[in-house]
C-alpha cells in the first residue's frame, strides 16, 4: 500500500515538473505565452512604462471564460498615491463605449424591432438629417462600418462644464457633419454615426439610451461599478472611485487633467472598472453551450462577431462594429481615447482569450497596442510569388477621417501619410514622425514588419489599385485617399501665409516710422496714405485674429462652434474692409503724384491684402 502511494506521489510530482506539452500548448495566450508565465511577462513589460510614460493601468486577461490575470499598475491618483485596482478603480472607457451601441442594435435586430439593412431615415423624424448629399440609403450596417459618408466634426463634442451638456437629439442636430462620400464607399471612423445609431435605438425603445444599456446590459451582466449616464458626478459611488486622468509632462511628470463632458455620450461616455469590462468580454466569448445573457438566441452573438464588412478577401474589416485584427488568430478589437484616458479590448474567439487594458493616461499606445500585440501575436506573413513592385504604391495620402468643410480641413495636410518603397516587396510608412516597415504578402496587401507601436492597430494595409494607380488605402479605423494637392501648391501656400503674417505684423511699425519722418519734414498726409493705413491695419487685424485662433485651438482643440464664431465674423469684417481699402487706394494713387517708394509700398500692401484674402478663401478660414 505504501509502495503504491509512493509511486502515485512520484508520478504526480513528475507531472508538476514536466507538464503535458499538449496541455501547455492549449493553456497559453494566442501568441504562445504559457498562462502560468503570463503574470511575470506582463510585469516585465509594464515595468518599462509605468511611472515613466503611464500614470497607471488596470490589466485583465481572460482564458477559457476564466480570469487568469488581473492586476493594477501605478496610481489611480498620483498625488495621493492611491494604487490602481482593476476591481474598484473607475476609468473612462472612451470609444469602447461604441461596442455597447452595436450590441444594443443587435439585441433589437434579434427581436425584429430593427432591420440592419433598412434606410435609417425610416427610423428618424422627418427632416432630421439636413446635410446629406446622396440619395443612396444609409443603413445601420453603414453606421456600424463607419462608411455612411460623414466628414469629421470635432466641434460641440466635448465640454469642460456639465452645464453645457445637452440632449443626444439636440447635439446630433447641432453637430451634424456634411455627407462627403456615397454610403459604403469609404471607411472614415465617425463618432456621429455611432451616436446617431444610439438615437435610433432611443426612437425604437422610447427610453434614453443610457437607461436602455443600464437595463439590458449592465444589469444583465451585473456591471455594478459602471455608468453611461453623464455627468458622472451624479453617481457618488462612481465618482468616489474614479481615477484621475493625466497628461505627460516634462521629466516624467504627470499633469492632472480637468474633467470633460460629452453630449454625444454613446460614442465614448462609459465610466467603469476593468473588472466590469471583463464581464462584458466574457459575455461575448461563447461557452461550449453558446449561451450568453446578452441575447435570447445562441446564434446572435455568432452573427455579431462575424465579418460584416471587408475591403478585400482575407483582409481585416469589421464585425458589426468590432474591428478585426490580424493576430495569430482572428481578433476582434476596439480602443478608446478621451482627453486623459486610453483603453483597449481585444477578444480572440477561436482561442477563447481576451485582454483588457485601461489607463488614466492621455494617448497611451505602448501598453494598449504593444502589450496586446505581444499577447495575441501576428498573423501569417507567408509571401506569394510574382507580386507587383512596391513602387506602385508610393505616394502621399490623407486620412478619409477628416474635416472637409471649414478651417480645420487645413490640419490634415500638416501630417499626411507618406509611403516610400524600400525594395520590391517592402515599404516604409511615415505619419506624424512615426515610422514603420510593411511587407507585401499578397498583391497590394502589406503587413506590419516592425516600427512604432502606433501602427499596430493598422497592422494590415490594402492598397486599392486601378490602372496602375492607388485610389484608396484600407486600414483600421479610417481609409486613406491620395493627396489632392501638390507639394508645390502646399509649399507655395505655406510661403504665402508666412509672408502675409510677417508683412502685416511688421508693416505697421514701418508706417509709424515713415509717418514720424513725414511729420518732421512737415509734409501733408495724403488721403491715399490714410487709406493705406486702414488697409494695413485691417490686414494686421486678420493676422492677429488668425494667430489667436491657432493658439486657442492648440491650447484646447475640443471647443464648441460658438466659441470660434467671433473669429470667423472677424475674418469676414476685416476682409471686407481690406477689399474696400484696396479699391480706394488704387483709385486715389491714380489721381495723385506719388514717389516710386510710395507706389511700391502701396502696390505691395494691396497685393499682400488680396493674396491674404485668397489664402483665407482657399483654406476656408471663414467657417
Amino acid at each position: 500500500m505504501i509502495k503504491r502511494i509512493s509511486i502515485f506521489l512520484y508520478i504526480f510530482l513528475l507531472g508538476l515538473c514536466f507538464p503535458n506539452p499538449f496541455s501547455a500548448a492549449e493553456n497559453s495566450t494566442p501568441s504562445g505565452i504559457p498562462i502560468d508565465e503570463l503574470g511575470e511577462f506582463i510585469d516585465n513589460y509594464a515595468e518599462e512604462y509605468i511611472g515613466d510614460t503611464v500614470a497607471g493601468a488596470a490589466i485583465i486577461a481572460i482564458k477559457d471564460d476564466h480570469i487568469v490575470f488581473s492586476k493594477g499598475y501605478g496610481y489611480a491618483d498620483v498625488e495621493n498615491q492611491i494604487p490602481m485596482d482593476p476591481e474598484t478603480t473607475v476609468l473612462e472607457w472612451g470609444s469602447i463605449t461604441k461596442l455597447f451601441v452595436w450590441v444594443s442594435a443587435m439585441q433589437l435586430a434579434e427581436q425584429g424591432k430593427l432591420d440592419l439593412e433598412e434606410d435609417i431615415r425610416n427610423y428618424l423624424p422627418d427632416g432630421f438629417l439636413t446635410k446629406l448629399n446622396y440619395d443612396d440609403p444609409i443603413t445601420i450596417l453603414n453606421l456600424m462600418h463607419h462608411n455612411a459618408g460623414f466628414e469629421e466634426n470635432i466641434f460641440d463634442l466635448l465640454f469642460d462644464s456639465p452645464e453645457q451638456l445637452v440632449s443626444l437629439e439636440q447635439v446630433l442636430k447641432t453637430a451634424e457633419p456634411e455627407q462627403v462620400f456615397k454610403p459604403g464607399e469609404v471607411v472614415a471612423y465617425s463618432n456621429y454615426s455611432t451616436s446617431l445609431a444610439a438615437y435610433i435605438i432611443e426612437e425604437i425603445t422610447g427610453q434614453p439610451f443610457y437607461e436602455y444599456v443600464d437595463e439590458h446590459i449592465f444589469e444583465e451582466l451585473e456591471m455594478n461599478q459602471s455608468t453611461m449616464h453623464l455627468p458622472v458626478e451624479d453617481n457618488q459611488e462612481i465618482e468616489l472611485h474614479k481615477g484621475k486622468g493625466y497628461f505627460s509632462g516634462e521629466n516624467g511628470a504627470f499633469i492632472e487633467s480637468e474633467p470633460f463632458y460629452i453630449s454625444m455620450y454613446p460614442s465614448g461616455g462609459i465610466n467603469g472598472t476593468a473588472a466590469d469590462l471583463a464581464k462584458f468580454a466574457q459575455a461575448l466569448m461563447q461557452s461550449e453551450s453558446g449561451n450568453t445573457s446578452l441575447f435570447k438566441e445562441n446564434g446572435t452573438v455568432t452573427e455579431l462577431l462575424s465579418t460584416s464588412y471587408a475591403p478585400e478577401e482575407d483582409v481585416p474589416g469589421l464585425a458589426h462594429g468590432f474591428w478585426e485584427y490580424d493576430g495569430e488568430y482572428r481578433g476582434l478589437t476596439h480602443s478608446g481615447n478621451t482627453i486623459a484616458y486610453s483603453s483597449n479590448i481585444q477578444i480572440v474567439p477561436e482561442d477563447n482569450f481576451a485582454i483588457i487594458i485601461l489607463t488614466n493616461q492621455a494617448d497611451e499606445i505602448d501598453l494598449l497596442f504593444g502589450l496586446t500585440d505581444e499577447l495575441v501575436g501576428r498573423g501569417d506573413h507567408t509571401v506569394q510569388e510574382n507580386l507587383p513592385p512596391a513602387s506602385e504604391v508610393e505616394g502621399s495620402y490623407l486620412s478619409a477621417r477628416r474635416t472637409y468643410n471649414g478651417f480645420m480641413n487645413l490640419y490634415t495636410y500638416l501630417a499626411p501619410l507618406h509611403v516610400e518603397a524600400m525594395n520590391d516587396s517592402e515599404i516604409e510608412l511615415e505619419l506624424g514622425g512615426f515610422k514603420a516597415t510593411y511587407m507585401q504578402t499578397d498583391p497590394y496587401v502589406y503587413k506590419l514588419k516592425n516600427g512604432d507601436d502606433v501602427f499596430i492597430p493598422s497592422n494590415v494595409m490594402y492598397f486599392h489599385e486601378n490602372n496602375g494607380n492607388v485610389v484608396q488605402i484600407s486600414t483600421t479605423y479610417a481609409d486613406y485617399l491620395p493627396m489632392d494637392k501638390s507639394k508645390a501648391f502646399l509649399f507655395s501656400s505655406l510661403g504665402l501665409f508666412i509672408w502675409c503674417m510677417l508683412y502685416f505684423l511688421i508693416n505697421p511699425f514701418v508706417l509709424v516710422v515713415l509717418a514720424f519722418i513725414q511729420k518732421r519734414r512737415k509734409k501733408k498726409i495724403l488721403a491715399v496714405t490714410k487709406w493705406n493705413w486702414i488697409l494695413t491695419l485691417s490686414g494686421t487685424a486678420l493676422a492677429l485674429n488668425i494667430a489667436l485662433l491657432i493658439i486657442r485651438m492648440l491650447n484646447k482643440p475640443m471647443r464648441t462652434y460658438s466659441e470660434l464664431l467671433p473669429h470667423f465674423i472677424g475674418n469676414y469684417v476685416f476682409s471686407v474692409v481690406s477689399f474696400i481699402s484696396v479699391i480706394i487706394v488704387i483709385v486715389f494713387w491714380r489721381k495723385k503724384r506719388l514717389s516710386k517708394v510710395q507706389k511700391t509700398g502701396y502696390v505691395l500692401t494691396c497685393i499682400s491684402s488680396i493674396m491674404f484674402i485668397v489664402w483665407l478663401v482657399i483654406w476656408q478660414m471663414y467657417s
Side-chain angles (χ1 to χ4, degrees), residues 31-309:
S31 63
I33 300 170
I35 294 301
D36 58 5
E37 298 177 12
L38 183 59
E40 182 181 1
F41 181 89
I42 295 178
D43 284 347
N44 292 335
Y45 193 98
E47 184 180 5
E48 182 179 350
Y49 305 104
I50 298 297
D52 183 19
T53 61
V54 186
I59 303 175
I60 294 179
I62 303 168
K63 177 70 175 179
D64 295 331
D65 202 35
H66 297 289
I67 292 178
V68 295
F69 179 85
S70 179
K71 188 172 182 179
Y73 295 89
Y75 296 105
D77 183 335
V78 173
E79 181 181 1
N80 295 306
Q81 301 283 282
I82 299 176
M84 186 72 74
D85 187 336
E87 297 290 331
T88 60
T89 302
V90 172
L91 300 171
E92 295 178 8
W93 296 0
S95 288
I96 288 178
T97 305
K98 291 179 172 67
L99 299 180
F100 290 76
V101 178
W102 310 133
V103 167
S104 300
M106 293 298 290
Q107 288 177 335
L108 294 179
E110 180 186 64
Q111 299 166 30
K113 297 178 181 179
L114 178 65
D115 186 341
L116 302 182
E117 299 188 40
E118 179 75 17
D119 191 330
I120 62 172
R121 282 169 284 196
N122 294 330
Y123 296 109
L124 295 169
D126 291 341
F128 190 87
L129 297 174
T130 62
K131 297 183 179 181
L132 300 182
N133 293 320
Y134 298 93
D135 294 329
D136 303 57
I138 299 173
T139 66
I140 293 292
L141 283 173
N142 289 137
L143 301 183
M144 286 179 166
H145 302 154
H146 300 272
N147 62 5
F150 296 121
E151 68 173 328
E152 177 75 333
N153 181 16
I154 69 169
F155 300 118
D156 298 293
L157 181 63
L158 295 179
F159 309 107
D160 52 14
S161 169
E163 284 73 28
Q164 293 175 284
L165 290 173
V166 297
S167 68
L168 181 57
E169 177 182 8
Q170 185 175 339
V171 74
L172 288 171
K173 290 181 177 179
T174 302
E176 181 185 354
E178 187 167 333
Q179 187 187 37
V180 293
F181 300 111
K182 184 178 291 188
E185 287 191 347
V186 175
V187 174
Y189 187 80
S190 172
N191 290 303
Y192 187 85
S193 289
T194 309
S195 294
L196 185 60
Y199 178 69
I200 290 172
I201 292 171
E202 287 191 346
E203 288 290 285
I204 293 173
T205 63
Q207 63 183 143
F209 182 69
Y210 66 84
E211 286 187 4
Y212 178 90
V213 171
D214 281 344
E215 180 181 346
H216 297 279
I217 300 181
F218 287 169
E219 290 181 13
E220 285 287 341
L221 302 181
E222 297 184 354
M223 297 170 63
N224 300 322
Q225 298 183 82
S226 299
T227 182
M228 187 181 279
H229 180 58
L230 297 177
V232 71
E233 290 89 342
D234 289 350
N235 189 320
Q236 294 183 357
E237 185 68 20
I238 295 292
E239 175 67 10
L240 179 65
H241 293 96
K242 184 169 180 178
K244 295 180 178 179
Y246 295 94
F247 301 105
S248 294
E250 295 181 358
N251 302 317
F254 296 105
I255 303 171
E256 185 179 338
S257 168
E258 295 294 326
F260 281 81
Y261 305 87
I262 177 172
S263 288
M264 220 176 284
Y265 68 91
S267 289
I270 290 182
N271 287 254
T273 63
D276 272 1
L277 186 54
K279 294 177 182 178
F280 179 70
Q282 286 175 301
L284 295 174
M285 298 168 67
Q286 286 185 300
S287 61
E288 291 183 3
S289 65
N291 294 324
T292 171
S293 56
L294 288 175
F295 302 104
K296 296 179 180 179
E297 301 293 334
N298 294 342
T300 306
V301 70
T302 302
E303 180 185 357
L304 170 67
L305 302 182
S306 66
T307 302
S308 54
Y309 166 84

Side-chain angles (χ1 to χ4, degrees), residues 516-529:
F516 178 76
I517 294 173
Q518 282 186 313
K519 186 175 181 180
R520 290 283 300 269
R521 294 178 179 177
K522 297 181 179 180
K523 286 188 176 182
K524 181 182 178 181
I525 299 178
L526 302 175
V528 67
T529 302

Side-chain angles (χ1 to χ4, degrees), residues 388-552:
S391 58
E392 287 189 16
V393 303
E394 283 187 318
S396 296
Y397 303 87
L398 299 177
S399 173
R401 185 196 179 187
R402 64 186 181 96
T403 299
Y404 288 80
N405 297 282
F407 79 101
M408 286 301 294
N409 83 97
L410 175 62
Y411 174 79
T412 309
Y413 293 91
L414 301 178
L417 174 69
H418 296 293
V419 179
E420 183 178 352
M422 301 178 66
N423 49 54
D424 282 344
S425 61
E426 294 182 341
I427 56 175
E428 181 181 72
L429 271 63
E430 191 274 328
L431 179 65
F434 295 101
K435 292 185 178 182
T437 301
Y438 280 70
M439 175 190 300
Q440 186 176 198
T441 58
D442 294 279
Y444 302 105
V445 176
Y446 285 80
K447 295 191 176 184
L448 180 64
K449 183 177 179 181
N450 53 62
D452 292 308
D453 287 349
V454 72
F455 289 96
I456 290 175
S458 301
N459 66 352
V460 178
M461 290 191 169
Y462 174 64
F463 291 78
H464 300 253
E465 181 269 343
N466 184 25
N467 296 325
N469 297 314
V470 174
V471 296
Q472 191 172 333
I473 306 175
S474 291
T475 75
T476 303
Y477 298 118
D479 291 351
Y480 283 82
L481 303 174
M483 175 75 76
D484 56 4
K485 290 179 172 59
S486 67
K487 286 186 178 180
F489 175 85
L490 292 175
F491 279 114
S492 298
S493 179
L494 176 62
L496 178 60
F497 173 73
I498 293 173
W499 165 261
C500 291
M501 293 292 287
L502 291 177
Y503 184 85
F504 286 110
L505 292 176
I506 295 174
N507 198 39
F509 298 100
V510 175
L511 293 182
V512 168
V513 173
L514 293 176
F516 178 76
I517 294 173
Q518 282 186 313
K519 186 175 181 180
R520 290 283 300 269
R521 294 178 179 177
K522 297 181 179 180
K523 286 188 176 182
K524 181 182 178 181
I525 299 178
L526 302 175
V528 67
T529 302
K530 296 178 181 178
W531 278 102
N532 184 60
W533 262 100
I534 295 174
L535 178 59
T536 299
L537 291 178
S538 61
T540 302
L542 275 173
L544 291 174
N545 189 45
I546 292 171
L548 181 59
L549 175 62
I550 294 172
I551 292 171
R552 292 186 71 197

